[in-house]
C-alpha cells in the first residue's frame, strides 16, 4: 500500500501526532463532553485533509464552521496556542468551501429522490412499525417491477393510493395490503412535509462528483452542510447523512487502499444515527462502514460519548481523538472506562484518570501506523486552526454561494415525468375505459329483445388485472436494482 505522503499533524506535546493519509480510510472517532474542543478538532482535521488534496464533507450543526472559508488571525486563544506549541511556520489561511443546505437558504439545495432513499431508510425516517414497513416495501416492489420512478413525495403518495385502491389485483403476486397501514404511512408523509423535510426530496438530486472536487491550488473542497435548522428534526438529519454515506458506498468504484482518501466524511452528533436503531438496519450500517474504506472514503464519527457508537462500529474506528469526559454518573464512569480500554496502553499514562483531567483543546490521541496498528496513546494539545473561529455573516456566505461553480445547477427544482404522471394517466385511461364499457352495455341492452347471453367482455376489475399483469410482464428486464440499504443504484 502506498504511504509516502506525510502525516497530517493534528496535535502536539513537543512531539507531533497525526493521521497518515493512507490510513485515513480506516475511519476515526472524535469524542468528548460539550465544550472540550471537538468542533475545533473537526475543523483542524478538515483543514489538514484539504491541504493534502482530500475533499471533505461535514455538517455544521452549530453554525460555526462556515468560517473555514475565511482566514483566521483575530482570536486570542489561537495566538496563545501557536505560542505554546512554538509553531514558527504557522500561517492563517482561508479554505475552499462549498455550502449546502437541504432548505436551499444557506447553500446549494441538497436533494435526493424517493427511489434513491429507498424503503429501508424511508422506514427509519417515517418511524414506521413492522407492518407499515412491510406495506412500504411492497409498494416499492410494485414500483420497481413496473418501472415507476419515485422521485418526490407526490409520487409516493399516489403510488400508495394506487396500491391501496387495487389491493386485490396485487394480492396474488405481492401479498395482502393493509388499508390502515397505507393510511398511517400517508399521515407520516404529511407530518414529514410539515417539518419541511420534503425539501430534501426531489430533483435535481445530488451528483456525488460534486462532493469530490479539488480547487485550482490542489486543495480538497470542504463541503459544509448547514444543519442548524435541520437539527430540529434529528431523525431527518441522521437519515439524510446515512443516505449520503450509503450513496457513496453503492456508487463509488473500488480503489482498495489508496495513498490518500477520495473523501473524508464527518458524521457529527453521531448518537442521532444510532438512537433506537432497528437491528436489521444497524447490521447494514456496520457493513457499509466496514466496506466503504475500499471505496477510498474515510468516516469520522463525532460524539460526546464513545458509548454512543455500537461496539462493532467503534471497533472499526482506528484513528482516535478523545477529549475530556465527565464522570458524574455511573454511565459517565462506564464511558470513561470504555474509552480508556480502547487505547493501546502507554505505561506512562493512567488513561482513565487523564480523560477526566484534560483541559479544553487537550486530548488523548492515537493514530494508526503504517502497518495499520494503533499507536500508543499520548496526551497532547490539538493544533490551532488556520481559518477564522466564529460565525459568518449572511452577505459573505451569499457571495461565496454565488461565486461557486455549482451555482445555478441545483437552485431550480425540476419535476420530470415519474410515477405520479404515469399513474394519473393510467387512472384516467381506466376511467375512460370503464365509461366506454358501461355505455356499450347500455347499447347492448337496448338492442337485445331477448335475455342477453353471458357476456364475454371484461369487467373493470378484470380489465385492470389484465392491464396490471401486462404492465408487470412488460417490466421484466427493466426492474430497478437496489443496494444494501435499499437505495436505487444509478
Amino acid at each position: 500500500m502506498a504511504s509516502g505522503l506525510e502525516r497530517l499533524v493534528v496535535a502536539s506535546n513537543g512531539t507531533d501526532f497525526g493521521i497518515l493519509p493512507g490510513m485515513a480510510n480506516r475511519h476515526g472517532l472524535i469524542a468528548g463532553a460539550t465544550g472540550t474542543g471537538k468542533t475545533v478538532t473537526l475543523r483542524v482535521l478538515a483543514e489538514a485533509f484539504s491541504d493534502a488534496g482530500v475533499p471533505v464533507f461535514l455538517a455544521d450543526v452549530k453554525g460555526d464552521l462556515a468560517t473555514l472559508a475565511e482566514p483566521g488571525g483575530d482570536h486570542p486563544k489561537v495566538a496563545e496556542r501557536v505560542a505554546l506549541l512554538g509553531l514558527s511556520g504557522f500561517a492563517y489561511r482561508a479554505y475552499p468551501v462549498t455550502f449546502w443546505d437541504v432548505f436551499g437558504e444557506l447553500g446549494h439545495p441538497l436533494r435526493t429522490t424517493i427511489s434513491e432513499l429507498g424503503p429501508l431508510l424511508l422506514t427509519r425516517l417515517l418511524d414506521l412499525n413492522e407492518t407499515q414497513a412491510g406495506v412500504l416495501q411492497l409498494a416499492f416492489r410494485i414500483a420497481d417491477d413496473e418501472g415507476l420512478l419515485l422521485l418526490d413525495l407526490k409520487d409516493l403518495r399516489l403510488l400508495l393510493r394506487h396500491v391501496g385502491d387495487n389491493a386485490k389485483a396485487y394480492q396474488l403476486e405481492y401479498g395482502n395490503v393493509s388499508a390502515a397501514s397505507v393510511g398511517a404511512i400517508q399521515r407520516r408523509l404529511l407530518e414529514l412535509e410539515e417539518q419541511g423535510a420534503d425539501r430534501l426530496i426531489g430533483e435535481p438530486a445530488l451528483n456525488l462528483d460534486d462532493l469530490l472536487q479539488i480547487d485550482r491550488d490542489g486543495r480538497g473542497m470542504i463541503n459544509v452542510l448547514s444543519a442548524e435548522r435541520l437539527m430540529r428534526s434529528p431523525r431527518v438529519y441522521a437519515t439524510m447523512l446515512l443516505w449520503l454515506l450509503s450513496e457513496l458506498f453503492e456508487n463509488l468504484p473500488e480503489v482498495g487502499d489508496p495513498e490518500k482518501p477520495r473523501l473524508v466524511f464527518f458524521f457529527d452528533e453521531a448518537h442521532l444515527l444510532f438512537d433506537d436503531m432497528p437491528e436489521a438496519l444497524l447490521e447494514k450500517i456496520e457493513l457499509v462502514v466496514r466496506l466503504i474504506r475500499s471505496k477510498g472514503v474515510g468516516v469520522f464519527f463525532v460524539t460526546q460519548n464513545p458509548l454512543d457508537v455500537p461496539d462493532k462500529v467503534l471497533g472499526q474506528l482506528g484513528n482516535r481523538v478523545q477529549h475530556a469526559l465527565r464522570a458524574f454518573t455511573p454511565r459517565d464512569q462506564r464511558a470513561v472506562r470504555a474509552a480508556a480500554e480502547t487505547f493501546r496502553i502507554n505505561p506512562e499514562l493512567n488513561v482513565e484518570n487523564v480523560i477526566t483531567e484534560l483541559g479544553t483543546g487537550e486530548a488523548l490521541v492515537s493514530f494508526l501506523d503504517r502497518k495499520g496498528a494503533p499507536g500508543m496513546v499520548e496526551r497532547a494539545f490539538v493544533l490551532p486552526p488556520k481559518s477564522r473561529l466564529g460565525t459568518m455573516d449572511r452577505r459573505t456566505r451569499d457571495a461565496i454561494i454565488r461565486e461557486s461553480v455549482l451555482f445555478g445547477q441545483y437552485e431550480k427544482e425540476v419535476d420530470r415525468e415519474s410515477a405520479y404522471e404515469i399513474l394519473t394517466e393510467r387512472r384516467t385511461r381506466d376511467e375512460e375505459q370503464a365509461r366506454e364499457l358501461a355505455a356499450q352495455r347500455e347499447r347492448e341492452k337496448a338492442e337485445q329483445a331477448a335475455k342477453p347471453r353471458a357476456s364475454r367482455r371484461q369487467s373493470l376489475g378484470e380489465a385492470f388485472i389484465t392491464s396490471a399483469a401486462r404492465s408487470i410482464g412488460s417490466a421484466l428486464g427493466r426492474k430497478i436494482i437496489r443496494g444494501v440499504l435499499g437505495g436505487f443504484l444509478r
Side-chain angles (χ1 to χ4, degrees), residues 43-121:
R43 179 188 289 261
V44 170
L45 278 169
E47 292 178 356
F49 282 119
S50 178
D51 283 334
V54 177
V56 170
F57 180 91
L58 55 86
D60 187 4
V61 299
K62 294 184 289 187
D64 57 358
L65 288 172
T67 49
L68 277 158
E70 299 179 286
D74 58 354
H75 201 291
K77 289 188 177 180
V78 173
E80 178 183 321
R81 184 59 54 88
V82 170
L84 174 67
L85 298 179
L87 304 177
S88 58
F90 183 86
Y92 297 108
R93 67 185 305 180
Y95 284 82
V97 169
T98 301
F99 291 118
W100 300 92
D101 181 10
V102 166
F103 303 100
E105 297 171 356
L106 299 177
H108 306 297
L110 181 63
R111 303 186 190 91
T112 184
T113 66
I114 291 290
S115 278
E116 289 172 337
L117 196 60
L120 279 179
L121 292 182

Side-chain angles (χ1 to χ4, degrees), residues 11 16 19 52 73 75 105 109 131 133 164 171 180 186 218 243 269 285 287 306 362 408 439 449 463 471:
D16 292 340
I19 296 175
H75 201 291
E105 297 171 356
T131 302
Q171 183 176 11
Q186 295 280 34
W243 156 75
E269 301 293 343
I285 293 172
L287 177 67
E362 267 192 298
S471 297

